[in-house]
Amino acid sequence: QVQLVESGGGLVQPGGSLRLSCAASGSIFSITTMGWYRQAPGKQRELVATISSDGSTTSYADSVKGRFTISRDNAKKTVYMQMNSLKPEDTAVYYCNAYIVPSATPGRVYWGQGTQVTVSS
């Protein structure tokens, strides 16, 4: 069974940093685009960043450009997001997302369970 598991969330002061990780597991043939989304209380889930299958192309929401960096390690089937200069408005549950083709079933989008990031003094 394919799954995505996030880690690295927590409580941090404004201006601080966190690094999120999301590892894929299971019988996987390939993983293409991976990304991070977030959902703050009372708001819709929004796209934060994406990265192409070979890591050569990335994109970011305007609100995080210059502060967040997405990367991936294909050997570990893991996507990361380094978050610097965190602001209270970055507080949200962060979800990773990936298009995965399992070994024996058609490909589809998978979601992680989410990890809470709270930015507060």
Side-chain angles (χ1 to χ4, degrees), residues 37-55:
Y37 288 70
R38 68 185 181 186
Q39 187 167 19
K43 294 188 176 181
Q44 290 188 331
R45 190 173 297 190
E46 63 173 354
L47 176 63
V48 178
T50 62
I51 186 166
S52 61
S53 56
D54 64 357

Side-chain angles (χ1 to χ4, degrees), residues 66-86:
R67 300 188 298 122
F68 291 11
T69 303
I70 189 170
S71 61
R72 64 191 288 169
D73 183 333
N74 286 339
K76 295 182 178 179
K77 298 185 178 64
T78 299
V79 62
Y80 306 96
M81 190 157 69
Q82 178 67 41
M83 306 186 296
N84 299 328
S85 303
L86 283 160

Side-chain angles (χ1 to χ4, degrees), residues 1-3 30 32-33 98-102 105-111:
Q1 182 178 355
V2 173
Q3 58 180 340
S30 66
T32 57
T33 302
Y99 187 87
I100 297 175
V101 181
T105 56
R108 67 172 178 88
V109 173
Y110 288 80
W111 290 90

